[in-house]
Structure formats: structure tokens, C-alpha cells
Amino acid sequence: PTCICHVQENVLQRVLQLPVVSSTCETLQRKYSSTKESHPLMASVCEVYERGVQGAGALAMWGMEPVVRRLEPQFAAANNLACRGLDHLEEKIPALQYPVDK
């Protein structure tokens, strides 16, 4: 079977779009938001953590950019292989197409 990935699509995007994964992420996001709203102290801790993660992520991306550019062909090949594996999993495990509550 051929990979149904498009040039701009990657395996991570495809996994995040699976109903079982996206519904789980939505549920976790709702729980996280509701916890932040109901507990002011937790909200301030979460906001500090979120800012730290954003800063660390930006710094990591800046530092990794030259490496990522050099390894781009290998990433593309790994992405293609992972997409084919995901095609196979989606074909063999239909439950991946259902939200987590089903």
C-alpha cells in the first residue's frame, strides 16, 4: 500500500487527527482547563510551567535548527516509513477511527 501522507503532512499530525487520539487530547485539555479554573493556586503554577515549557521549546528549536536541516532527508524517510506503518495500523485496528468514549 502507498502512504497517504501528503508533502506537508507528517506522521505526528496524522496520529493527532485519529479520533481516538484527538478525543483523548480534548478530554485532557478540558480537565486541565477546569482544574486551572477551580484551583487558583494550581492555575498560577500551571501558568509558570506553561511559560517555562514555551521558552524551553523555543530555545531547543533554535539550537536544533542546523541539525534538523542536515538530517532532513533522514527525517523524510523515517516519516514515510512511519506513515506506511500507520496506514497498516489504521487498516488492522478500526477502533482507531472512533472517539475514546466508544
Side-chain angles (χ1 to χ4, degrees):
T2 59
C3 181
I4 59 174
C5 289
H6 303 294
V7 175
Q8 65 273 45
E9 186 175 45
N10 66 42
V11 72
L12 181 59
Q13 289 169 329
R14 283 190 56 198
V15 167
L16 291 173
Q17 290 170 358
L18 288 171
V20 69
V21 175
S22 63
S23 68
T24 299
C25 289
E26 288 169 8
T27 299
L28 290 173
Q29 180 61 41
R30 281 194 303 271
K31 296 277 186 201
Y32 179 76
S33 295
S34 107
T35 300
K36 278 175 57 174
E37 289 172 10
S38 32
H39 303 292
L41 179 58
M42 181 63 93
S44 63
V45 170
C46 289
E47 287 168 13
V48 169
Y49 173 75
E50 290 166 8
R51 282 194 300 270
V53 168
Q54 287 173 346
L59 183 60
M61 285 306 294
W62 176 78
M64 291 295 295
E65 188 178 346
V67 174
V68 169
R69 262 189 269 122
R70 250 182 283 137
L71 294 176
E72 203 163 2
Q74 289 86 343
F75 287 144
N79 183 65
N80 189 35
L81 183 62
C83 280
R84 285 191 303 219
L86 187 55
D87 289 341
H88 182 73
L89 282 175
E90 287 177 315
E91 184 180 304
K92 298 292 182 193
I93 307 172
L96 293 174
Q97 299 303 324
Y98 297 105
V100 74
D101 60 351
K102 291 188 180 186

Coordinates of all heavy atoms in Angstrom, one line a residue:
P1 N 0.8 -1.2 0.0 CA 0.0 0.0 0.0 C 0.9 1.3 0.0 O 1.9 1.3 0.6 CB -0.8 -0.1 1.3 CG -0.1 -1.1 2.1 CD 0.7 -2.0 1.2
T2 N 0.4 2.3 -0.6 CA 1.1 3.5 -0.7 C 0.7 4.4 0.5 O -0.4 4.3 1.0 CB 0.9 4.3 -2.0 OG1 -0.5 4.5 -2.1 CG2 1.3 3.5 -3.2
C3 N 1.7 5.2 0.9 CA 1.4 6.1 2.1 C 0.5 7.2 1.6 O 0.6 7.8 0.6 CB 2.7 6.7 2.6 SG 2.5 7.8 4.0
I4 N -0.5 7.5 2.5 CA -1.5 8.6 2.1 C -1.0 9.9 2.7 O -1.8 10.9 2.6 CB -2.9 8.2 2.6 CG1 -3.0 8.0 4.1 CG2 -3.4 7.1 1.8 CD1 -4.4 7.8 4.6
C5 N 0.2 10.0 3.2 CA 0.8 11.3 3.7 C 1.0 12.2 2.5 O 1.4 11.8 1.4 CB 2.1 11.1 4.3 SG 2.0 10.2 5.9
H6 N 0.6 13.5 2.7 CA 0.9 14.5 1.7 C 2.2 15.1 2.1 O 2.7 14.9 3.2 CB -0.3 15.5 1.7 CG -1.6 14.9 1.5 ND1 -1.9 14.3 0.3 CD2 -2.7 14.7 2.3 CE1 -3.2 13.9 0.4 NE2 -3.6 14.1 1.6
V7 N 2.7 15.9 1.2 CA 4.0 16.5 1.4 C 4.1 17.3 2.7 O 5.0 17.2 3.5 CB 4.4 17.5 0.2 CG1 5.7 18.2 0.5 CG2 4.5 16.7 -1.1
Q8 N 3.1 18.1 3.0 CA 3.1 18.9 4.2 C 2.6 18.2 5.4 O 2.7 18.6 6.5 CB 2.3 20.2 4.0 CG 0.8 20.0 3.8 CD 0.4 19.8 2.3 OE1 1.1 19.0 1.6 NE2 -0.6 20.4 1.9
E9 N 2.1 17.0 5.3 CA 1.6 16.2 6.4 C 2.7 15.3 7.0 O 3.5 14.8 6.2 CB 0.4 15.3 5.9 CG -0.3 14.6 7.0 CD -1.5 13.9 6.5 OE1 -1.4 13.2 5.4 OE2 -2.6 14.0 7.1
N10 N 2.7 15.1 8.3 CA 3.6 14.2 8.8 C 2.9 13.2 9.7 O 1.7 13.4 10.0 CB 4.8 15.0 9.6 CG 4.3 15.7 10.8 OD1 3.5 15.2 11.6 ND2 4.8 16.9 11.0
V11 N 3.6 12.2 10.1 CA 3.0 11.1 10.9 C 2.4 11.6 12.2 O 1.4 11.2 12.7 CB 4.0 9.9 11.1 CG1 5.1 10.3 12.1 CG2 3.3 8.7 11.5
L12 N 3.1 12.6 12.9 CA 2.6 13.1 14.1 C 1.2 13.8 13.9 O 0.3 13.6 14.7 CB 3.6 14.1 14.7 CG 3.1 14.7 16.1 CD1 2.9 13.6 17.1 CD2 4.2 15.7 16.6
Q13 N 1.1 14.6 12.8 CA -0.2 15.2 12.5 C -1.2 14.1 12.3 O -2.4 14.3 12.8 CB -0.1 16.1 11.2 CG 0.7 17.3 11.5 CD 1.0 18.0 10.1 OE1 1.2 17.4 9.1 NE2 1.2 19.3 10.2
R14 N -0.9 13.1 11.6 CA -1.9 12.0 11.3 C -2.3 11.4 12.6 O -3.5 11.1 12.8 CB -1.3 11.0 10.3 CG -1.3 11.5 8.9 CD -1.0 10.4 7.9 NE -1.9 9.3 8.1 CZ -1.6 8.1 7.6 NH1 -0.4 7.8 6.9 NH2 -2.4 7.1 7.7
V15 N -1.4 11.1 13.5 CA -1.7 10.4 14.7 C -2.6 11.3 15.6 O -3.6 10.9 16.1 CB -0.4 10.0 15.5 CG1 -0.8 9.7 17.0 CG2 0.3 8.9 14.8
L16 N -2.3 12.6 15.6 CA -3.1 13.6 16.4 C -4.5 13.7 15.8 O -5.5 14.1 16.5 CB -2.4 14.9 16.5 CG -1.2 15.0 17.3 CD1 -0.5 16.3 17.2 CD2 -1.5 14.6 18.8
Q17 N -4.7 13.4 14.5 CA -6.0 13.5 13.9 C -6.9 12.3 14.0 O -8.0 12.3 13.8 CB -5.8 13.8 12.4 CG -5.3 15.2 12.1 CD -5.0 15.5 10.7 OE1 -5.0 14.6 9.8 NE2 -4.5 16.7 10.4
L18 N -6.3 11.2 14.5 CA -7.0 10.0 14.7 C -8.1 10.3 15.8 O -7.8 10.9 16.8 CB -6.2 8.8 15.2 CG -5.2 8.2 14.2 CD1 -4.3 7.2 14.9 CD2 -6.0 7.5 13.1
P19 N -9.4 9.9 15.6 CA -10.4 10.2 16.5 C -10.1 9.8 18.0 O -10.4 10.5 18.9 CB -11.6 9.5 16.0 CG -11.4 9.5 14.5 CD -9.9 9.3 14.3
V20 N -9.5 8.6 18.1 CA -9.2 8.1 19.5 C -8.2 9.0 20.2 O -8.3 9.2 21.4 CB -8.8 6.6 19.4 CG1 -7.4 6.4 18.8 CG2 -8.8 6.0 20.8
V21 N -7.2 9.5 19.4 CA -6.2 10.4 20.0 C -6.8 11.8 20.2 O -6.6 12.4 21.3 CB -5.0 10.4 19.1 CG1 -3.9 11.4 19.6 CG2 -4.3 9.0 19.0
S22 N -7.4 12.3 19.2 CA -7.9 13.7 19.3 C -9.0 13.8 20.4 O -9.0 14.8 21.2 CB -8.5 14.2 18.0 OG -9.6 13.5 17.6
S23 N -9.8 12.8 20.6 CA -10.8 12.9 21.6 C -10.2 12.8 23.0 O -10.6 13.4 24.0 CB -11.9 11.8 21.5 OG -11.4 10.5 21.7
T24 N -9.1 12.0 23.1 CA -8.4 11.8 24.4 C -7.7 13.2 24.7 O -7.8 13.6 25.9 CB -7.3 10.7 24.3 OG1 -8.0 9.5 24.0 CG2 -6.5 10.6 25.6
C25 N -7.1 13.8 23.7 CA -6.5 15.1 23.9 C -7.5 16.2 24.4 O -7.2 17.0 25.3 CB -5.7 15.6 22.7 SG -4.3 14.6 22.3
E26 N -8.6 16.2 23.7 CA -9.7 17.1 24.1 C -10.2 16.9 25.5 O -10.4 17.9 26.3 CB -10.9 17.0 23.1 CG -10.6 17.5 21.7 CD -11.7 17.2 20.7 OE1 -12.7 16.6 21.1 OE2 -11.4 17.4 19.5
T27 N -10.3 15.7 25.9 CA -10.8 15.4 27.3 C -9.7 15.8 28.3 O -10.1 16.5 29.3 CB -11.0 13.8 27.4 OG1 -12.0 13.4 26.5 CG2 -11.4 13.5 28.8
L28 N -8.5 15.6 28.0 CA -7.4 16.0 28.9 C -7.3 17.5 28.9 O -7.1 18.1 30.0 CB -6.0 15.4 28.4 CG -5.9 13.9 28.6 CD1 -4.6 13.5 27.9 CD2 -5.9 13.6 30.1
Q29 N -7.5 18.2 27.8 CA -7.5 19.7 27.8 C -8.6 20.2 28.6 O -8.4 21.2 29.4 CB -7.5 20.2 26.3 CG -7.5 21.7 26.2 CD -6.2 22.3 26.7 OE1 -5.2 21.8 26.5 NE2 -6.4 23.4 27.4
R30 N -9.8 19.6 28.5 CA -10.9 20.1 29.3 C -10.7 19.9 30.8 O -10.9 20.8 31.6 CB -12.2 19.4 28.9 CG -12.8 19.9 27.6 CD -14.3 19.4 27.4 NE -14.4 18.0 27.4 CZ -14.3 17.2 26.3 NH1 -14.1 17.8 25.1 NH2 -14.4 15.9 26.4
K31 N -10.1 18.8 31.2 CA -9.8 18.5 32.6 C -8.8 19.5 33.1 O -8.9 20.0 34.2 CB -9.3 17.1 32.8 CG -10.3 16.0 32.4 CD -11.2 15.8 33.6 CE -12.1 14.6 33.3 NZ -13.3 14.5 34.1
Y32 N -7.7 19.7 32.3 CA -6.7 20.7 32.7 C -7.3 22.1 32.8 O -7.0 22.7 33.9 CB -5.6 20.6 31.6 CG -4.4 21.6 31.8 CD1 -3.5 21.2 32.7 CD2 -4.3 22.8 31.1 CE1 -2.4 22.1 33.0 CE2 -3.2 23.6 31.3 CZ -2.3 23.3 32.2 OH -1.2 24.1 32.4
S33 N -8.1 22.5 31.9 CA -8.7 23.9 32.0 C -9.6 24.0 33.2 O -9.6 25.0 33.9 CB -9.5 24.2 30.7 OG -8.6 24.3 29.6
S34 N -10.4 22.9 33.4 CA -11.3 23.0 34.6 C -10.6 23.0 35.9 O -11.0 23.7 36.8 CB -12.4 21.9 34.4 OG -12.2 20.9 35.4
T35 N -9.5 22.3 36.0 CA -8.7 22.2 37.2 C -8.0 23.6 37.4 O -8.1 24.1 38.5 CB -7.5 21.2 37.1 OG1 -8.1 19.9 36.9 CG2 -6.7 21.2 38.3
K36 N -7.5 24.2 36.3 CA -7.0 25.6 36.5 C -8.0 26.6 36.9 O -7.8 27.5 37.8 CB -6.4 26.1 35.1 CG -5.0 25.5 34.9 CD -4.5 25.9 33.5 CE -4.4 27.3 33.2 NZ -3.8 27.7 32.0
E37 N -9.3 26.5 36.4 CA -10.3 27.4 36.8 C -10.8 27.2 38.2 O -11.1 28.2 38.9 CB -11.5 27.2 35.8 CG -11.3 27.8 34.5 CD -12.4 27.4 33.5 OE1 -13.5 27.0 33.9 OE2 -12.2 27.6 32.3
S38 N -10.8 26.0 38.7 CA -11.3 25.7 40.0 C -10.3 25.9 41.2 O -10.7 26.0 42.3 CB -12.0 24.4 40.2 OG -11.5 23.4 39.4
H39 N -9.0 25.9 40.8 CA -8.0 26.0 41.8 C -7.0 27.1 41.5 O -6.1 26.9 40.7 CB -7.2 24.7 42.0 CG -8.1 23.5 42.3 ND1 -8.8 23.4 43.5 CD2 -8.5 22.4 41.6 CE1 -9.5 22.3 43.5 NE2 -9.3 21.7 42.3
P40 N -7.2 28.3 42.0 CA -6.4 29.5 41.7 C -4.9 29.2 41.9 O -4.1 29.6 41.1 CB -6.9 30.6 42.6 CG -8.2 30.2 43.0 CD -8.3 28.7 43.0
L41 N -4.5 28.5 42.9 CA -3.1 28.3 43.2 C -2.5 27.4 42.1 O -1.4 27.6 41.5 CB -2.9 27.6 44.5 CG -1.4 27.3 44.9 CD1 -0.6 28.5 44.9 CD2 -1.4 26.6 46.3
M42 N -3.3 26.4 41.7 CA -2.9 25.5 40.6 C -2.8 26.2 39.3 O -1.9 26.0 38.5 CB -3.9 24.3 40.5 CG -3.5 23.3 39.4 SD -2.0 22.5 39.8 CE -2.7 21.1 40.6
A43 N -3.7 27.2 39.1 CA -3.6 28.0 37.9 C -2.3 28.8 37.8 O -1.7 28.8 36.7 CB -4.8 28.9 37.8
S44 N -1.9 29.4 38.9 CA -0.6 30.1 38.8 C 0.6 29.2 38.6 O 1.5 29.6 37.9 CB -0.5 31.0 40.1 OG -0.4 30.2 41.2
V45 N 0.6 28.0 39.2 CA 1.7 27.1 39.0 C 1.7 26.6 37.5 O 2.7 26.6 36.9 CB 1.5 25.9 40.0 CG1 2.5 24.8 39.6 CG2 1.7 26.3 41.4
C46 N 0.5 26.3 37.0 CA 0.4 25.9 35.6 C 0.9 27.0 34.6 O 1.5 26.7 33.7 CB -1.1 25.5 35.3 SG -1.6 24.0 36.1
E47 N 0.5 28.2 34.9 CA 0.9 29.3 34.0 C 2.5 29.5 34.0 O 3.1 29.6 33.0 CB 0.2 30.6 34.4 CG -1.2 30.6 34.0 CD -2.0 31.7 34.7 OE1 -1.4 32.7 35.2 OE2 -3.3 31.7 34.6
V48 N 3.1 29.3 35.2 CA 4.5 29.4 35.3 C 5.1 28.2 34.5 O 6.1 28.4 33.7 CB 5.0 29.4 36.7 CG1 6.5 29.2 36.8 CG2 4.6 30.7 37.4
Y49 N 4.6 27.1 34.7 CA 5.1 25.9 33.9 C 4.9 26.1 32.4 O 5.8 25.8 31.7 CB 4.3 24.6 34.4 CG 4.6 23.4 33.6 CD1 5.8 22.7 33.8 CD2 3.7 22.9 32.7 CE1 6.1 21.6 33.1 CE2 3.9 21.8 32.0 CZ 5.1 21.1 32.1 OH 5.4 20.0 31.4
E50 N 3.7 26.5 32.0 CA 3.5 26.7 30.6 C 4.5 27.7 29.9 O 5.0 27.5 28.9 CB 2.0 27.2 30.3 CG 1.0 26.2 30.6 CD -0.4 26.7 30.7 OE1 -0.6 27.9 30.5 OE2 -1.3 25.9 31.1
R51 N 4.7 28.8 30.6 CA 5.7 29.8 30.1 C 7.1 29.2 30.0 O 7.8 29.4 29.1 CB 5.7 31.0 31.0 CG 4.6 32.0 30.7 CD 4.8 33.3 31.3 NE 5.0 33.3 32.8 CZ 4.0 33.4 33.7 NH1 2.8 33.5 33.3 NH2 4.2 33.3 35.0
G52 N 7.5 28.4 31.0 CA 8.8 27.7 31.0 C 8.9 26.7 29.9 O 9.9 26.7 29.2
V53 N 7.8 26.0 29.6 CA 7.8 25.0 28.5 C 8.0 25.7 27.2 O 8.7 25.3 26.3 CB 6.6 24.1 28.6 CG1 6.4 23.3 27.3 CG2 6.7 23.1 29.8
Q54 N 7.2 26.8 27.0 CA 7.3 27.6 25.8 C 8.7 28.1 25.5 O 9.2 28.0 24.5 CB 6.3 28.7 25.8 CG 4.8 28.3 25.6 CD 3.8 29.4 25.8 OE1 4.2 30.5 26.3 NE2 2.6 29.2 25.5
G55 N 9.3 28.7 26.6 CA 10.6 29.2 26.5 C 11.7 28.1 26.2 O 12.5 28.3 25.3
A56 N 11.6 27.0 26.8 CA 12.5 25.9 26.6 C 12.3 25.3 25.2 O 13.3 25.0 24.5 CB 12.2 24.8 27.7
G57 N 11.0 25.2 24.8 CA 10.8 24.7 23.4 C 11.4 25.6 22.4 O 12.0 25.2 21.4
A58 N 11.2 26.9 22.5 CA 11.8 27.9 21.6 C 13.3 27.8 21.5 O 13.9 27.8 20.5 CB 11.3 29.3 21.9
L59 N 13.9 27.7 22.7 CA 15.3 27.6 22.8 C 15.8 26.3 22.1 O 16.8 26.3 21.4 CB 15.8 27.6 24.2 CG 17.3 27.6 24.5 CD1 18.0 28.8 23.8 CD2 17.6 27.7 26.0
A60 N 15.1 25.2 22.4 CA 15.5 23.9 21.8 C 15.4 23.9 20.3 O 16.3 23.4 19.6 CB 14.6 22.8 22.4
M61 N 14.3 24.5 19.8 CA 14.2 24.6 18.3 C 15.3 25.5 17.7 O 15.8 25.1 16.7 CB 12.8 25.2 18.0 CG 11.6 24.2 18.2 SD 11.9 22.7 17.3 CE 11.8 23.2 15.6
W62 N 15.6 26.6 18.3 CA 16.7 27.4 17.8 C 18.0 26.6 17.8 O 18.8 26.7 16.8 CB 16.8 28.7 18.7 CG 17.9 29.5 18.3 CD1 18.0 30.4 17.3 CD2 19.2 29.6 18.9 NE1 19.2 31.0 17.2 CE2 20.0 30.6 18.2 CE3 19.8 29.0 20.1 CZ2 21.3 30.9 18.6 CZ3 21.1 29.3 20.4 CH2 21.8 30.3 19.7
G63 N 18.3 25.9 18.9 CA 19.5 25.1 18.9 C 19.6 23.9 18.0 O 20.6 23.5 17.5
M64 N 18.4 23.4 17.7 CA 18.3 22.2 16.9 C 18.2 22.5 15.4 O 18.4 21.6 14.6 CB 17.1 21.3 17.3 CG 17.3 20.7 18.7 SD 18.6 19.5 18.7 CE 18.0 18.2 17.6
E65 N 17.9 23.7 15.0 CA 17.7 24.0 13.6 C 18.8 23.5 12.7 O 18.5 22.9 11.6 CB 17.4 25.5 13.5 CG 17.0 25.9 12.1 CD 16.7 27.4 12.0 OE1 16.6 28.1 13.0 OE2 16.5 27.8 10.8
P66 N 20.1 23.8 12.9 CA 21.1 23.3 12.0 C 21.1 21.8 11.9 O 21.3 21.3 10.8 CB 22.4 23.8 12.6 CG 22.0 24.9 13.6 CD 20.6 24.6 14.0
V67 N 20.9 21.1 13.0 CA 20.9 19.6 12.9 C 19.7 19.1 12.1 O 19.8 18.2 11.3 CB 20.8 19.1 14.4 CG1 20.7 17.6 14.4 CG2 22.1 19.5 15.1
V68 N 18.5 19.7 12.4 CA 17.3 19.3 11.6 C 17.5 19.5 10.1 O 17.1 18.7 9.3 CB 16.1 20.1 12.2 CG1 14.9 19.9 11.3 CG2 15.8 19.7 13.6
R69 N 18.1 20.7 9.8 CA 18.3 20.9 8.3 C 19.2 19.9 7.7 O 18.9 19.4 6.6 CB 18.9 22.3 8.1 CG 17.8 23.3 7.7 CD 18.4 24.6 7.3 NE 18.5 25.5 8.5 CZ 19.6 26.1 8.9 NH1 20.7 25.9 8.2 NH2 19.6 26.8 10.0
R70 N 20.3 19.5 8.4 CA 21.2 18.5 7.9 C 20.6 17.1 7.8 O 20.9 16.3 6.9 CB 22.4 18.4 8.8 CG 23.7 19.0 8.1 CD 24.9 18.8 8.9 NE 24.9 19.9 10.0 CZ 25.2 19.7 11.2 NH1 25.6 18.6 11.6 NH2 25.1 20.7 12.1
L71 N 19.7 16.8 8.7 CA 19.1 15.4 8.8 C 17.7 15.4 8.1 O 17.0 14.4 8.2 CB 18.9 15.0 10.2 CG 20.2 14.8 11.0 CD1 19.9 14.4 12.4 CD2 21.0 13.7 10.4
E72 N 17.3 16.4 7.4 CA 16.0 16.5 6.7 C 15.7 15.3 5.8 O 14.6 14.7 5.9 CB 15.9 17.8 5.9 CG 14.5 18.2 5.7 CD 14.3 19.6 5.3 OE1 15.3 20.3 5.1 OE2 13.2 20.0 5.1
P73 N 16.7 14.8 5.0 CA 16.4 13.6 4.2 C 16.1 12.4 5.0 O 15.2 11.6 4.7 CB 17.6 13.4 3.4 CG 18.3 14.7 3.4 CD 18.0 15.3 4.7
Q74 N 16.8 12.2 6.1 CA 16.6 11.0 7.0 C 15.2 11.2 7.7 O 14.5 10.2 7.9 CB 17.7 10.9 8.1 CG 19.0 10.4 7.5 CD 19.9 11.6 7.0 OE1 19.4 12.7 6.7 NE2 21.1 11.3 6.8
F75 N 14.8 12.4 8.1 CA 13.5 12.6 8.7 C 12.4 12.3 7.7 O 11.4 11.7 8.1 CB 13.4 14.1 9.2 CG 14.2 14.4 10.5 CD1 14.7 15.6 10.6 CD2 14.3 13.4 11.5 CE1 15.5 15.9 11.8 CE2 15.0 13.7 12.6 CZ 15.6 15.0 12.8
A76 N 12.6 12.7 6.5 CA 11.6 12.5 5.5 C 11.4 11.0 5.3 O 10.3 10.5 5.1 CB 12.0 13.2 4.2
A77 N 12.5 10.2 5.2 CA 12.4 8.8 5.0 C 11.8 8.1 6.2 O 10.9 7.2 6.1 CB 13.8 8.2 4.8
A78 N 12.1 8.5 7.4 CA 11.5 8.0 8.6 C 10.0 8.3 8.7 O 9.2 7.5 9.1 CB 12.2 8.5 9.9
N79 N 9.7 9.5 8.3 CA 8.3 9.9 8.3 C 7.5 9.1 7.3 O 6.4 8.6 7.6 CB 8.1 11.4 7.9 CG 6.7 11.9 7.9 OD1 6.1 11.9 9.0 ND2 6.2 12.2 6.8
N80 N 8.0 8.8 6.1 CA 7.4 8.0 5.1 C 7.2 6.6 5.6 O 6.1 6.0 5.5 CB 8.2 8.0 3.8 CG 7.5 7.3 2.7 OD1 6.3 7.5 2.6 ND2 8.2 6.7 1.8
L81 N 8.2 6.0 6.3 CA 8.1 4.7 6.8 C 7.0 4.6 7.9 O 6.2 3.7 8.0 CB 9.4 4.2 7.4 CG 9.5 2.8 7.9 CD1 9.2 1.8 6.8 CD2 10.9 2.6 8.5
A82 N 7.0 5.7 8.8 CA 6.0 5.7 9.9 C 4.6 5.9 9.3 O 3.7 5.3 9.8 CB 6.4 6.9 10.8
C83 N 4.5 6.6 8.2 CA 3.1 6.8 7.6 C 2.6 5.5 7.1 O 1.5 5.1 7.2 CB 3.2 7.8 6.5 SG 3.1 9.5 7.1
R84 N 3.5 4.7 6.4 CA 3.1 3.4 5.9 C 2.7 2.5 7.1 O 1.7 1.7 7.0 CB 4.2 2.8 5.1 CG 4.3 3.4 3.7 CD 5.2 2.7 2.8 NE 6.5 2.6 3.5 CZ 7.7 2.7 2.9 NH1 7.7 2.8 1.6 NH2 8.8 2.6 3.5
G85 N 3.4 2.5 8.2 CA 3.1 1.7 9.4 C 1.7 2.2 9.9 O 0.9 1.3 10.3
L86 N 1.5 3.5 9.9 CA 0.2 4.0 10.4 C -0.9 3.6 9.5 O -2.0 3.2 10.0 CB 0.2 5.5 10.5 CG -0.9 6.2 11.2 CD1 -1.2 5.6 12.6 CD2 -0.7 7.7 11.3
D87 N -0.7 3.6 8.2 CA -1.7 3.1 7.2 C -2.1 1.6 7.6 O -3.3 1.3 7.6 CB -1.2 3.1 5.8 CG -1.0 4.4 5.2 OD1 -1.6 5.4 5.7 OD2 -0.3 4.6 4.2
H88 N -1.1 0.8 7.9 CA -1.3 -0.6 8.2 C -2.1 -0.7 9.5 O -3.0 -1.5 9.6 CB 0.0 -1.3 8.3 CG -0.1 -2.8 8.6 ND1 -0.5 -3.7 7.7 CD2 0.2 -3.5 9.8 CE1 -0.5 -4.9 8.3 NE2 -0.1 -4.8 9.5
L89 N -1.7 0.1 10.5 CA -2.4 0.0 11.8 C -3.9 0.5 11.6 O -4.8 -0.1 12.2 CB -1.8 1.0 12.8 CG -0.5 0.4 13.5 CD1 0.1 1.5 14.4 CD2 -0.8 -0.8 14.3
E90 N -4.1 1.5 10.9 CA -5.5 2.0 10.7 C -6.3 1.0 10.0 O -7.5 0.8 10.2 CB -5.5 3.3 9.9 CG -5.0 4.5 10.6 CD -4.9 5.8 9.8 OE1 -4.4 5.7 8.7 OE2 -5.4 6.8 10.3
E91 N -5.7 0.2 9.1 CA -6.4 -0.8 8.4 C -6.7 -2.0 9.3 O -7.8 -2.6 9.2 CB -5.5 -1.3 7.2 CG -6.1 -2.3 6.3 CD -5.2 -2.7 5.2 OE1 -4.7 -1.8 4.5 OE2 -4.9 -3.9 5.1
K92 N -5.8 -2.4 10.2 CA -6.0 -3.5 11.0 C -6.7 -3.3 12.3 O -7.3 -4.2 12.9 CB -4.6 -4.1 11.4 CG -3.8 -4.6 10.2 CD -4.4 -5.8 9.6 CE -3.6 -6.3 8.4 NZ -4.3 -7.3 7.6
I93 N -6.7 -2.0 12.7 CA -7.4 -1.7 14.0 C -8.4 -0.6 13.8 O -8.2 0.6 14.0 CB -6.4 -1.2 15.1 CG1 -5.2 -2.2 15.2 CG2 -7.0 -1.0 16.4 CD1 -4.1 -1.8 16.0
P94 N -9.6 -1.0 13.4 CA -10.7 0.0 13.1 C -11.0 0.9 14.3 O -11.5 2.0 14.1 CB -11.9 -0.8 12.7 CG -11.3 -2.1 12.3 CD -10.1 -2.3 13.1
A95 N -10.8 0.4 15.5 CA -11.1 1.2 16.7 C -10.4 2.5 16.7 O -10.8 3.5 17.4 CB -10.8 0.4 17.9
L96 N -9.3 2.7 16.0 CA -8.5 3.9 16.0 C -9.4 5.1 15.4 O -9.1 6.2 15.6 CB -7.3 3.8 15.2 CG -6.2 2.9 15.8 CD1 -5.0 2.7 14.8 CD2 -5.7 3.4 17.1
Q97 N -10.4 4.7 14.6 CA -11.2 5.7 14.0 C -12.4 6.2 14.8 O -13.2 7.0 14.4 CB -11.8 5.1 12.6 CG -10.7 4.8 11.7 CD -9.7 5.9 11.4 OE1 -10.2 7.1 11.3 NE2 -8.5 5.7 11.2
Y98 N -12.5 5.7 16.1 CA -13.6 6.0 17.0 C -13.1 6.9 18.1 O -12.0 6.7 18.6 CB -14.3 4.8 17.5 CG -14.9 3.9 16.5 CD1 -14.4 2.7 16.1 CD2 -16.1 4.3 15.8 CE1 -14.9 2.0 15.1 CE2 -16.7 3.6 14.8 CZ -16.1 2.4 14.5 OH -16.7 1.6 13.5
P99 N -13.9 7.8 18.6 CA -13.5 8.6 19.8 C -13.4 7.6 21.0 O -13.9 6.5 21.0 CB -14.7 9.5 20.0 CG -15.5 9.5 18.8 CD -15.2 8.2 18.1
V100 N -12.6 8.1 22.0 CA -12.3 7.2 23.1 C -13.5 6.7 23.9 O -13.5 5.6 24.4 CB -11.3 8.0 24.0 CG1 -11.9 9.0 24.8 CG2 -10.6 7.0 24.9
D101 N -14.6 7.5 23.9 CA -15.8 7.1 24.6 C -16.5 5.9 24.0 O -17.4 5.3 24.6 CB -16.7 8.2 24.9 CG -17.2 8.9 23.7 OD1 -16.7 8.6 22.5 OD2 -18.1 9.8 23.8
K102 N -16.2 5.6 22.7 CA -16.8 4.5 22.0 C -15.9 3.3 22.1 O -16.3 2.2 21.8 CB -17.1 4.9 20.6 CG -18.2 5.9 20.5 CD -18.6 6.1 19.0 CE -19.7 7.2 19.0 NZ -20.3 7.4 17.7

